[in-house]
Amino acid sequence: MNDSKTALTLLIAAPRGFCAGVDRAIRIVELAIEKYGAPVYVRHEIVHNRYVVDALKEQGAIFVETLEDVPDGVPVVFSAHGVPKAVPAKAEERGLEYVDATCPLVSKVHRQAERLVEKGQHIVFIGHRDHPEVVGTFGQVPPGAMTLVETAQDAESVEIPDADNLGFLTQTTLSVDDTIEIIDVLRRRFPNINAPRSEDICYATSNRQDAVKAIAASCDAMLVIGAPNSSNSLRLVEVAEREGTSARLIQRATEIDFEWLDGVATLGITAGASAPEILVREVVDWLAERFDITEREVETTREKMLFKLPRGLEAA
């Protein structure tokens, strides 16, 4: 042991980092570049991670916020968060070739929304205003067919014209605990509300939150590697704090505040679903320069989910 370095135990949560939907979305952009040649335009960040976006830019991806920013005659990829129906319709109108990288679990929520509206039900949608996934889901149904609820307080006060003809759906990247609380309020106020047949919060979001809960009590502090606009990463910080552990979100190792680690003997580390493992290793290496680290991975479940690529890209 090196006596000049303070001992620091790292508890590394597993699962962490990339989920199947993120893996698939990144692969879609890479294969689109292989198939069509650079540049390939991507509407919105393919996933919410600066490192990933920059790596794809180097390969020939150009990220834009609207379809108007995509010139004629070039292919465009829609991000993993999903887009309103009007976007592919507009792309078709312009004759643009497009590839939809929407996560299949988000697409499942889109289809559920359509089915509820077809049945004549109003939808209470639990999610975060202006998040691209929420914007995309609202864009699957006619205006006014869905009402957004963000908090349990919203659920207490929301007014629904036909309370007996109601269903709810949720964003896939929410806090499991917060969502249960909101659903409990909705069920109390609207006893006939229709629930989705299966959980909308995606398996990866739930698993990463469970992994944080499993180590939080043993940690003096926790670092969550992810982007400030990544909903699932922000939820991991909240989960750690709810478990009584001080937690911070960082994008890269250089953002670690060593003063904040004063007195920390055991540090938890996890990564949001759009953060690559290379950033976890970067953080561990950065800490190893300052501390005498002991590293231990704590695995709560093993993920085996794989999603197929869109037709036309498999061959690439």
Side-chain angles (χ1 to χ4, degrees):
M1 174 159 166
N2 184 339
D3 292 333
S4 65
K5 288 182 178 179
T6 308
L8 180 66
T9 299
L10 303 181
L11 294 186
I12 302 180
R16 63 180 175 277
F18 277 3
C19 62
V22 164
D23 252 336
R24 174 180 179 270
I26 293 166
R27 193 76 194 112
I28 284 171
V29 177
E30 292 171 340
L31 289 172
I33 293 166
E34 274 181 44
K35 179 177 176 178
Y36 300 109
V40 165
Y41 280 71
V42 183
R43 185 189 177 279
H44 192 69
E45 289 186 347
I46 188 69
V47 296
H48 286 154
N49 188 274
R50 172 62 37 209
Y51 179 91
V52 170
V53 166
D54 287 345
L56 291 171
K57 279 181 183 173
E58 283 178 23
Q59 293 176 50
I62 295 175
F63 293 87
V64 296
E65 279 309 305
T66 69
L67 211 55
E68 285 69 47
D69 299 324
V70 179
D72 289 336
V74 296
V76 59
V77 178
F78 301 144
S79 84
H81 310 97
V83 294
K85 276 183 175 173
V87 175
K90 184 74 179 168
E92 284 170 16
E93 194 184 298
R94 285 183 53 194
L96 294 178
E97 195 152 358
Y98 66 85
V99 185
D100 189 354
T102 302
C103 171
L105 298 178
V106 174
S107 296
K108 186 188 86 170
V109 177
H110 290 179
R111 303 294 77 80
Q112 287 175 314
E114 288 176 325
R115 281 196 294 272
L116 287 173
V117 169
E118 279 165 16
K119 286 183 188 170
Q121 293 193 345
H122 189 79
I123 301 165
V124 175
F125 192 80
I126 303 167
H128 297 294
R129 189 178 304 279
D130 298 330
H131 187 277
E133 185 187 326
V134 174
V135 173
T137 305
F138 267 73
Q140 305 304 309
V141 297
M146 198 142 53
T147 299
L148 183 69
V149 163
E150 294 190 85
T151 63
Q153 287 87 342
D154 288 350
E156 288 285 6
S157 61
V158 68
E159 295 294 333
I160 305 294
D162 186 359
D164 290 325
N165 205 14
L166 196 58
F168 74 84
L169 297 170
T170 80
Q171 185 180 331
T172 63
T173 53
L174 299 178
S175 154
V176 175
D177 296 333
D178 285 345
T179 307
I180 288 168
E181 189 186 348
I182 294 168
I183 290 168
D184 285 347
V185 174
L186 291 173
R187 284 194 160 127
R188 172 171 49 76
R189 288 194 62 210
F190 310 109
N192 296 329
I193 195 166
N194 262 333
R197 268 182 302 204
S198 61
E199 185 78 64
D200 283 342
I201 294 177
C202 92
Y203 77 95
T205 298
S206 305
N207 288 349
R208 278 148 193 70
Q209 290 177 22
D210 287 345
V212 165
K213 288 176 186 175
I215 63 172
S218 308
C219 299
D220 302 311
M222 187 172 289
L223 291 175
V224 176
I225 302 162
N229 59 340
S230 162
S231 175
N232 77 84
S233 300
L234 294 169
R235 303 296 78 78
L236 293 176
V237 174
E238 290 171 3
V239 167
E241 288 175 339
R242 186 172 285 172
E243 296 292 312
T245 306
S246 180
R248 284 198 178 174
L249 183 74
I250 58 167
Q251 296 194 74
R252 298 292 297 265
T254 49
E255 293 180 13
I256 295 171
D257 176 0
F258 286 107
E259 279 184 26
W260 181 69
L261 293 177
D262 276 355
V264 171
T266 303
L267 178 67
I269 295 178
T270 189
S274 42
E277 182 63 16
I278 194 169
L279 298 185
V280 178
R281 300 324 306 168
E282 178 188 88
V283 164
V284 173
D285 292 345
W286 193 261
L287 291 166
E289 289 182 18
R290 186 74 66 104
F291 299 97
D292 183 25
I293 63 167
T294 305
E295 194 181 328
R296 186 155 67 85
E297 184 175 77
V298 180
E299 184 176 72
T300 49
T301 190
R302 195 158 289 190
E303 293 176 346
K304 295 176 181 167
M305 184 76 78
L306 281 173
F307 294 134
K308 287 182 182 172
L309 291 164
R311 275 198 299 271
L313 278 189
E314 292 126 322

